[in-house]
Amino acid sequence: HHMGLEEPKSNRDLRRQAILEVARAVFAEEGYAAASMSSIAARVGGSKATLYNYFRSKEELFAATLVGYLTELSATLAEAVDDAASPDDRLSQLSDAMIDFGVERPAFVDCALTLLRRPGDELMAEVGQPVMIGLGQAMWSSLTRVVTVLEDGVASGQHARRDVRGR
């Protein structure tokens, strides 16, 4: 790639976002297995080659779609929790918000489960490092909210630590 031929970052980002929105709709309607890069490209109004300029594989596009969902989940959890509430109440608020999020977005649940069933090495081969890192960060931002509440619960004595070894 010569620098002169690169489109401005903002245009590329907007195009990438547009592809993700279409992909999300197609995955939601058709499911991961049935969705094709061709049908996504047709809706975006480009060729499959256009998609492959942004995403190296259907898996990577799918993983990037999941990053979008997880980012929304993290924001949803942040809004759902009353920081002044007890750890037990906050845990309830988090779990209710997670369940509602999944119920309202069955495609998100389908996406997450489909990706989680893939062997890690296969996924790494099909999904580029930036998207994998994005996926990790997006998962962590939601998980860390749960971890914080659990730690507060243990610290306040509300959640007793159980010996996981069962002794």
Side-chain angles (χ1 to χ4, degrees), residues 56-79:
R56 71 160 73 163
S57 62
K58 181 170 128 176
E59 284 75 16
E60 182 168 283
L61 177 52
F62 191 61
T65 305
L66 191 53
V67 171
Y69 277 121
L70 287 165
T71 303
E72 284 169 33
L73 174 61
S74 184
T76 301
L77 295 181
E79 285 167 27

Side-chain angles (χ1 to χ4, degrees), residues 27-151:
F27 287 136
E29 288 160 30
E30 302 176 15
Y32 173 70
S36 72
M37 291 295 261
S38 306
S39 60
I40 293 167
R43 272 209 226 181
V44 170
S47 64
K48 276 203 290 189
T50 308
L51 292 188
Y52 288 116
N53 280 333
Y54 291 85
F55 301 97
R56 71 160 73 163
S57 62
K58 181 170 128 176
E59 284 75 16
E60 182 168 283
L61 177 52
F62 191 61
T65 305
L66 191 53
V67 171
Y69 277 121
L70 287 165
T71 303
E72 284 169 33
L73 174 61
S74 184
T76 301
L77 295 181
E79 285 167 27
V81 173
D82 170 10
D83 290 326
S86 72
D88 274 358
D89 287 347
R90 279 161 36 214
L91 199 56
S92 295
Q93 290 162 357
L94 278 175
S95 56
D96 288 351
M98 278 182 160
I99 291 165
D100 289 347
F101 188 89
V103 168
E104 288 160 18
R105 298 168 186 78
F108 162 68
V109 178
D110 182 52
C111 267
L113 293 176
T114 302
L115 260 185
L116 289 171
R117 290 190 192 109
R118 300 297 302 273
D121 52 347
E122 260 182 47
L123 208 57
M124 287 301 291
E126 291 160 346
V127 177
Q129 198 179 3
V131 173
M132 284 304 278
I133 290 169
L135 199 54
Q137 287 170 336
M139 286 166 76
W140 179 242
S141 71
S142 290
L143 268 178
T144 192
R145 295 185 192 286
V146 178
V147 169
T148 301
V149 172
L150 292 174
E151 284 174 344

